[in-house]
PDB file of all heavy atoms in Angstrom:
ATOM      1  N   CYS U  78      11.114  14.325   8.174  1.00 88.00           N
ATOM      2  CA  CYS U  78      10.433  13.785   6.970  1.00 88.00           C
ATOM      3  C   CYS U  78       9.174  14.523   6.636  1.00 88.00           C
ATOM      4  O   CYS U  78       8.986  14.950   5.497  1.00 88.00           O
ATOM      5  CB  CYS U  78      10.184  12.232   7.066  1.00 88.00           C
ATOM      6  SG  CYS U  78      11.580  11.225   7.052  1.00 88.00           S
ATOM      7  N   SER U  79       8.359  14.726   7.674  1.00 83.00           N
ATOM      8  CA  SER U  79       7.102  15.511   7.397  1.00 83.00           C
ATOM      9  C   SER U  79       7.347  16.823   6.913  1.00 83.00           C
ATOM     10  O   SER U  79       6.550  17.344   5.941  1.00 83.00           O
ATOM     11  CB  SER U  79       6.273  15.650   8.596  1.00 83.00           C
ATOM     12  OG  SER U  79       5.828  14.234   9.000  1.00 83.00           O
ATOM     13  N   GLU U  80       8.332  17.582   7.545  1.00 82.00           N
ATOM     14  CA  GLU U  80       8.660  18.965   7.122  1.00 82.00           C
ATOM     15  C   GLU U  80       9.110  18.948   5.646  1.00 82.00           C
ATOM     16  O   GLU U  80       8.720  19.820   4.830  1.00 82.00           O
ATOM     17  CB  GLU U  80       9.526  19.520   8.011  1.00 82.00           C
ATOM     18  CG  GLU U  80      10.064  20.949   7.692  1.00 82.00           C
ATOM     19  CD  GLU U  80      11.069  21.581   8.580  1.00 82.00           C
ATOM     20  OE1 GLU U  80      11.565  20.801   9.520  1.00 82.00           O
ATOM     21  OE2 GLU U  80      11.433  22.721   8.425  1.00 82.00           O
ATOM     22  N   PHE U  81      10.037  18.125   5.238  1.00 87.00           N
ATOM     23  CA  PHE U  81      10.454  17.989   3.847  1.00 87.00           C
ATOM     24  C   PHE U  81       9.388  17.752   2.942  1.00 87.00           C
ATOM     25  O   PHE U  81       9.297  18.368   1.877  1.00 87.00           O
ATOM     26  CB  PHE U  81      11.591  16.963   3.791  1.00 87.00           C
ATOM     27  CG  PHE U  81      12.395  17.012   2.518  1.00 87.00           C
ATOM     28  CD1 PHE U  81      13.585  17.664   2.369  1.00 87.00           C
ATOM     29  CD2 PHE U  81      11.872  16.204   1.368  1.00 87.00           C
ATOM     30  CE1 PHE U  81      14.156  17.612   1.102  1.00 87.00           C
ATOM     31  CE2 PHE U  81      12.444  16.318   0.181  1.00 87.00           C
ATOM     32  CZ  PHE U  81      13.670  16.959   0.168  1.00 87.00           C
ATOM     33  N   ARG U  82       8.592  16.793   3.212  1.00 87.00           N
ATOM     34  CA  ARG U  82       7.394  16.425   2.276  1.00 87.00           C
ATOM     35  C   ARG U  82       6.454  17.603   2.241  1.00 87.00           C
ATOM     36  O   ARG U  82       5.994  17.898   1.052  1.00 87.00           O
ATOM     37  CB  ARG U  82       6.671  15.168   2.933  1.00 87.00           C
ATOM     38  CG  ARG U  82       5.578  14.783   2.168  1.00 87.00           C
ATOM     39  CD  ARG U  82       5.032  13.331   2.516  1.00 87.00           C
ATOM     40  NE  ARG U  82       4.765  13.323   3.946  1.00 87.00           N
ATOM     41  CZ  ARG U  82       5.393  12.550   4.778  1.00 87.00           C
ATOM     42  NH1 ARG U  82       6.433  11.821   4.404  1.00 87.00           N
ATOM     43  NH2 ARG U  82       4.924  12.648   6.076  1.00 87.00           N
ATOM     44  N   HIS U  83       6.281  18.304   3.350  1.00 82.00           N
ATOM     45  CA  HIS U  83       5.225  19.395   3.337  1.00 82.00           C
ATOM     46  C   HIS U  83       5.932  20.585   2.460  1.00 82.00           C
ATOM     47  O   HIS U  83       5.050  21.139   1.697  1.00 82.00           O
ATOM     48  CB  HIS U  83       5.237  19.937   4.808  1.00 82.00           C
ATOM     49  CG  HIS U  83       4.037  20.800   5.054  1.00 82.00           C
ATOM     50  ND1 HIS U  83       2.768  20.300   4.911  1.00 82.00           N
ATOM     51  CD2 HIS U  83       3.895  22.094   5.438  1.00 82.00           C
ATOM     52  CE1 HIS U  83       1.884  21.297   5.321  1.00 82.00           C
ATOM     53  NE2 HIS U  83       2.504  22.369   5.509  1.00 82.00           N
ATOM     54  N   LYS U  84       7.052  20.705   2.386  1.00 83.00           N
ATOM     55  CA  LYS U  84       7.677  21.911   1.666  1.00 83.00           C
ATOM     56  C   LYS U  84       8.010  21.605   0.186  1.00 83.00           C
ATOM     57  O   LYS U  84       7.734  22.395  -0.676  1.00 83.00           O
ATOM     58  CB  LYS U  84       8.979  22.373   2.393  1.00 83.00           C
ATOM     59  CG  LYS U  84       8.844  23.083   3.762  1.00 83.00           C
ATOM     60  CD  LYS U  84      10.216  23.421   4.174  1.00 83.00           C
ATOM     61  CE  LYS U  84      10.054  24.372   5.561  1.00 83.00           C
ATOM     62  NZ  LYS U  84      11.245  24.627   6.103  1.00 83.00           N
ATOM     63  N   ARG U  85       8.348  20.329  -0.136  1.00 89.00           N
ATOM     64  CA  ARG U  85       8.829  20.080  -1.324  1.00 89.00           C
ATOM     65  C   ARG U  85       7.891  19.246  -2.307  1.00 89.00           C
ATOM     66  O   ARG U  85       8.106  19.301  -3.479  1.00 89.00           O
ATOM     67  CB  ARG U  85      10.191  19.468  -1.301  1.00 89.00           C
ATOM     68  CG  ARG U  85      11.325  20.199  -0.610  1.00 89.00           C
ATOM     69  CD  ARG U  85      11.696  21.430  -1.356  1.00 89.00           C
ATOM     70  NE  ARG U  85      12.067  21.048  -2.862  1.00 89.00           N
ATOM     71  CZ  ARG U  85      13.345  20.669  -3.101  1.00 89.00           C
ATOM     72  NH1 ARG U  85      14.279  20.459  -2.262  1.00 89.00           N
ATOM     73  NH2 ARG U  85      13.475  20.415  -4.388  1.00 89.00           N
ATOM     74  N   LEU U  86       7.108  18.485  -1.720  1.00 93.00           N
ATOM     75  CA  LEU U  86       6.236  17.568  -2.518  1.00 93.00           C
ATOM     76  C   LEU U  86       4.761  17.916  -2.439  1.00 93.00           C
ATOM     77  O   LEU U  86       4.219  18.178  -1.454  1.00 93.00           O
ATOM     78  CB  LEU U  86       6.571  16.096  -1.979  1.00 93.00           C
ATOM     79  CG  LEU U  86       7.920  15.641  -1.764  1.00 93.00           C
ATOM     80  CD1 LEU U  86       7.955  14.235  -0.993  1.00 93.00           C
ATOM     81  CD2 LEU U  86       8.711  15.562  -3.007  1.00 93.00           C
ATOM     82  N   GLY U  87       4.165  17.714  -3.687  1.00 93.00           N
ATOM     83  CA  GLY U  87       2.666  17.617  -3.804  1.00 93.00           C
ATOM     84  C   GLY U  87       2.321  16.214  -4.225  1.00 93.00           C
ATOM     85  O   GLY U  87       2.772  15.587  -5.108  1.00 93.00           O
ATOM     86  N   LEU U  88       1.377  15.591  -3.439  1.00 93.00           N
ATOM     87  CA  LEU U  88       0.978  14.223  -3.573  1.00 93.00           C
ATOM     88  C   LEU U  88      -0.417  14.218  -4.083  1.00 93.00           C
ATOM     89  O   LEU U  88      -1.333  14.957  -3.510  1.00 93.00           O
ATOM     90  CB  LEU U  88       1.050  13.470  -2.264  1.00 93.00           C
ATOM     91  CG  LEU U  88       2.397  13.672  -1.468  1.00 93.00           C
ATOM     92  CD1 LEU U  88       2.285  12.826  -0.248  1.00 93.00           C
ATOM     93  CD2 LEU U  88       3.505  13.111  -2.425  1.00 93.00           C
ATOM     94  N   VAL U  89      -0.740  13.399  -5.028  1.00 93.00           N
ATOM     95  CA  VAL U  89      -2.029  13.210  -5.545  1.00 93.00           C
ATOM     96  C   VAL U  89      -2.404  11.745  -5.631  1.00 93.00           C
ATOM     97  O   VAL U  89      -1.614  10.949  -6.228  1.00 93.00           O
ATOM     98  CB  VAL U  89      -2.222  13.816  -7.107  1.00 93.00           C
ATOM     99  CG1 VAL U  89      -3.626  13.574  -7.452  1.00 93.00           C
ATOM    100  CG2 VAL U  89      -1.847  15.228  -7.073  1.00 93.00           C
ATOM    101  N   PHE U  90      -3.424  11.328  -5.003  1.00 88.00           N
ATOM    102  CA  PHE U  90      -3.704   9.848  -4.762  1.00 88.00           C
ATOM    103  C   PHE U  90      -5.056   9.544  -5.636  1.00 88.00           C
ATOM    104  O   PHE U  90      -5.766  10.432  -5.840  1.00 88.00           O
ATOM    105  CB  PHE U  90      -3.928   9.554  -3.326  1.00 88.00           C
ATOM    106  CG  PHE U  90      -2.820   9.860  -2.441  1.00 88.00           C
ATOM    107  CD1 PHE U  90      -2.674  11.046  -1.609  1.00 88.00           C
ATOM    108  CD2 PHE U  90      -1.739   8.992  -2.355  1.00 88.00           C
ATOM    109  CE1 PHE U  90      -1.643  11.327  -0.901  1.00 88.00           C
ATOM    110  CE2 PHE U  90      -0.641   9.230  -1.454  1.00 88.00           C
ATOM    111  CZ  PHE U  90      -0.542  10.475  -0.815  1.00 88.00           C
ATOM    112  N   GLN U  91      -5.115   8.181  -5.785  1.00 85.00           N
ATOM    113  CA  GLN U  91      -6.184   7.734  -6.564  1.00 85.00           C
ATOM    114  C   GLN U  91      -7.480   7.969  -5.827  1.00 85.00           C
ATOM    115  O   GLN U  91      -8.636   8.202  -6.416  1.00 85.00           O
ATOM    116  CB  GLN U  91      -6.143   6.324  -6.993  1.00 85.00           C
ATOM    117  CG  GLN U  91      -5.988   5.324  -5.977  1.00 85.00           C
ATOM    118  CD  GLN U  91      -5.866   3.839  -6.410  1.00 85.00           C
ATOM    119  OE1 GLN U  91      -6.939   3.478  -7.221  1.00 85.00           O
ATOM    120  NE2 GLN U  91      -4.982   3.263  -6.116  1.00 85.00           N
ATOM    121  N   ASN U  92      -7.555   7.907  -4.471  1.00 87.00           N
ATOM    122  CA  ASN U  92      -8.838   7.996  -3.755  1.00 87.00           C
ATOM    123  C   ASN U  92      -8.952   9.470  -3.210  1.00 87.00           C
ATOM    124  O   ASN U  92      -9.694   9.680  -2.289  1.00 87.00           O
ATOM    125  CB  ASN U  92      -8.793   7.035  -2.579  1.00 87.00           C
ATOM    126  CG  ASN U  92      -7.614   7.134  -1.736  1.00 87.00           C
ATOM    127  OD1 ASN U  92      -6.784   7.863  -1.811  1.00 87.00           O
ATOM    128  ND2 ASN U  92      -7.715   6.195  -0.657  1.00 87.00           N
ATOM    129  N   PHE U  93      -8.123  10.387  -3.606  1.00 89.00           N
ATOM    130  CA  PHE U  93      -8.272  11.995  -3.401  1.00 89.00           C
ATOM    131  C   PHE U  93      -7.678  12.280  -2.064  1.00 89.00           C
ATOM    132  O   PHE U  93      -7.149  13.262  -1.825  1.00 89.00           O
ATOM    133  CB  PHE U  93      -9.592  12.413  -3.609  1.00 89.00           C
ATOM    134  CG  PHE U  93     -10.326  11.828  -4.893  1.00 89.00           C
ATOM    135  CD1 PHE U  93     -11.498  11.338  -4.827  1.00 89.00           C
ATOM    136  CD2 PHE U  93      -9.596  11.823  -6.090  1.00 89.00           C
ATOM    137  CE1 PHE U  93     -12.106  10.828  -5.885  1.00 89.00           C
ATOM    138  CE2 PHE U  93     -10.086  11.418  -7.235  1.00 89.00           C
ATOM    139  CZ  PHE U  93     -11.488  10.864  -7.122  1.00 89.00           C
TER     140      PHE U  93
END
Side-chain angles (χ1 to χ4, degrees):
C78 288
S79 294
E80 181 180 2
F81 189 92
R82 182 168 53 244
H83 198 64
K84 290 181 177 179
R85 298 295 307 276
L86 307 177
L88 309 181
V89 181
F90 301 96
Q91 62 175 302
N92 56 356
F93 315 131

